[in-house]
Amino acid sequence: MDDKEGGTSESGPSHDWGDMTHECLVNILSRVSLEDRWRGAMLVCKPWLHACKEPCLNSVFDLETRFDSSTELPRYWTPEFERKIDAMLLSVVAWSDGSLTEIRVRHCSNRSLSLVSERCPNLQVLSIKSSPHVTDEVIAKIASGCPNLRELDISYCYEISHESMALIGRHCPKLQVFRRNLMNWLDPSQHHGIVPGEYLDACPQDGDADATAIGKFMPHLLHLELRFSKLTAKGLVLISEGCSDLEYLDLSGCANVTSRDIANASSSLKNLKTIKRPNFYIPRSVFHVERYGHWRLYDERFQTDAFRI
């Protein structure tokens, strides 16, 4: 039986979680994951929603773990999904009240990043992989509005050019981590049916222009990723000359540089601890003999010795 006067039952005392103090709610919600707050806590009642909007709970917005733990789906590349990501990011920027320091999302657009550039002066980490509608226009705003950036990931963002990289380098002198990875254009079959075909065909072609901007305007880089970049030996030399503090360099899939090119360029990088070389397996059927000559030349250029068919 219920003890109506004492508000208890045989199973123990009952609680009205909505009557908890705001400070107590914020303390509890700070121990809850981002996903659980969005999918659960915000839907409980108005006091919980109000607590979830506290700036101290919105200094970091990280969806990358969610994307990493799931298979890439075609719906991620739809306008509807992009609008959902934008809506979430816009909300977090507003709630953070300028305290946002880290953003890791995918499939956002200029719409949300414009507000980031205006209201996140303390931003240190920005990762916007696979955002096909992010352009140079908004990256220019990010460069001027977020001068404290120390990490930037624009992988698979094909509408961002070397001009934006130069602006980021000029305005963000603290930048130490930069990622400009491209999709596997040598064997794009892994992306078929997921990434729109026209986007795969838009893969940036001038890797040396990217390398020039990096080498000239990002002198303090420690970590650089350029997977499947189309840079040549010339671009690699520019990077090694301009980014002498590099400790990590990822050149996986960079088909236009050889082992000799890498050895020559990296010899001046005294702090280099890790280098990912462009060793990969590619079926012979992908290439035409008349373009690459005989198989021995192909082996020498792309270092496929360890992956003999």
Side-chain angles (χ1 to χ4, degrees):
M1 291 181 60
D2 290 337
D3 183 350
K4 295 182 180 179
E5 293 184 0
T8 61
S9 66
E10 294 179 358
S11 59
S14 61
H15 298 281
D16 185 350
W17 294 96
D19 288 341
M20 296 178 67
T21 65
H22 182 76
E23 292 73 15
C24 188
L25 275 175
V26 171
N27 183 279
I28 292 173
L29 292 172
S30 68
R31 308 164 197 268
V32 176
S33 69
L34 174 69
E35 184 173 354
D36 286 339
R37 290 205 303 270
W38 278 82
R39 289 178 174 244
M42 288 185 184
L43 308 177
V44 173
C45 57
K46 287 185 177 180
W48 282 49
L49 174 61
H50 182 59
C52 286
K53 295 181 180 182
E54 275 295 312
C56 65
L57 297 180
N58 293 283
S59 61
V60 173
F61 186 51
D62 185 358
L63 295 183
E64 187 59 28
T65 52
R66 176 66 178 172
F67 282 110
D68 273 344
S69 63
S70 62
T71 304
E72 181 83 356
L73 299 173
R75 71 180 182 88
Y76 291 170
W77 295 85
T78 63
E80 293 77 18
F81 188 79
E82 182 178 85
R83 284 195 290 270
K84 289 181 180 179
I85 296 296
D86 276 342
M88 292 179 71
L89 183 52
L90 286 167
S91 295
V92 170
V93 171
W95 300 340
S96 71
D97 193 27
S99 67
L100 198 56
T101 60
E102 183 175 331
I103 297 173
R104 297 184 189 274
V105 298
R106 299 188 192 184
H107 302 284
C108 62
S109 76
N110 283 4
R111 178 169 169 259
S112 55
L113 290 182
S114 290
L115 189 64
V116 169
S117 70
E118 296 170 4
R119 301 180 62 174
C120 301
N122 299 309
L123 192 66
Q124 297 179 23
V125 178
L126 178 61
S127 177
I128 52 171
K129 293 193 291 188
S130 301
S131 295
H133 297 121
V134 171
T135 67
D136 284 338
E137 179 184 359
V138 79
I139 296 300
K141 295 178 181 178
I142 291 289
S144 59
C146 308
N148 294 311
L149 276 182
R150 57 178 177 80
E151 179 177 337
L152 176 63
D153 190 342
I154 56 170
S155 299
Y156 324 127
C157 297
Y158 291 175
E159 292 300 316
I160 299 176
S161 74
H162 63 277
E163 295 178 359
S164 286
M165 299 179 207
L167 284 175
I168 288 290
R170 287 194 189 103
H171 293 281
C172 307
K174 298 177 183 179
L175 193 69
Q176 294 184 328
V177 179
F178 182 60
R179 298 180 177 91
R180 167 62 158 184
N181 300 313
L182 306 182
M183 294 181 189
N184 185 349
W185 52 270
L186 292 165
D187 183 14
S189 60
Q190 67 189 88
H191 307 298
H192 288 165
I194 300 173
V195 182
E198 62 273 16
Y199 193 67
L200 289 175
D201 294 337
C203 178
Q205 301 296 315
D206 195 349
D208 282 346
D210 291 354
T212 299
I214 293 168
K216 186 174 182 180
F217 298 108
M218 300 181 182
H220 303 300
L221 285 184
L222 301 179
H223 182 116
L224 176 61
E225 295 181 18
L226 296 170
R227 296 178 207 152
F228 291 99
S229 169
K230 297 188 178 183
L231 85 167
T232 67
K234 175 184 176 182
L236 191 54
V237 168
L238 292 173
I239 288 173
S240 64
E241 291 177 347
C243 307
S244 57
D245 294 332
L246 274 179
E247 298 177 356
Y248 182 101
L249 178 60
D250 191 344
L251 299 172
S252 303
C254 295
N256 295 328
V257 293
T258 66
S259 293
R260 182 178 301 174
D261 297 333
I262 295 171
N264 291 339
S266 61
S267 62
S268 61
L269 298 175
K270 305 304 181 183
N271 297 324
L272 192 63
K273 299 175 182 177
T274 303
I275 182 167
K276 302 282 188 178
R277 301 175 185 277
N279 294 335
F280 43 77
Y281 165 78
I282 306 172
R284 299 187 192 190
S285 59
V286 173
F287 295 91
H288 300 289
V289 173
E290 63 270 18
R291 180 178 179 185
Y292 287 94
H294 52 75
W295 183 251
R296 184 177 303 170
L297 175 60
Y298 173 74
D299 280 344
E300 178 183 346
R301 183 161 185 78
F302 297 107
Q303 305 96 42
T304 60
D305 305 5
F307 303 97
R308 289 289 185 186
I309 297 175

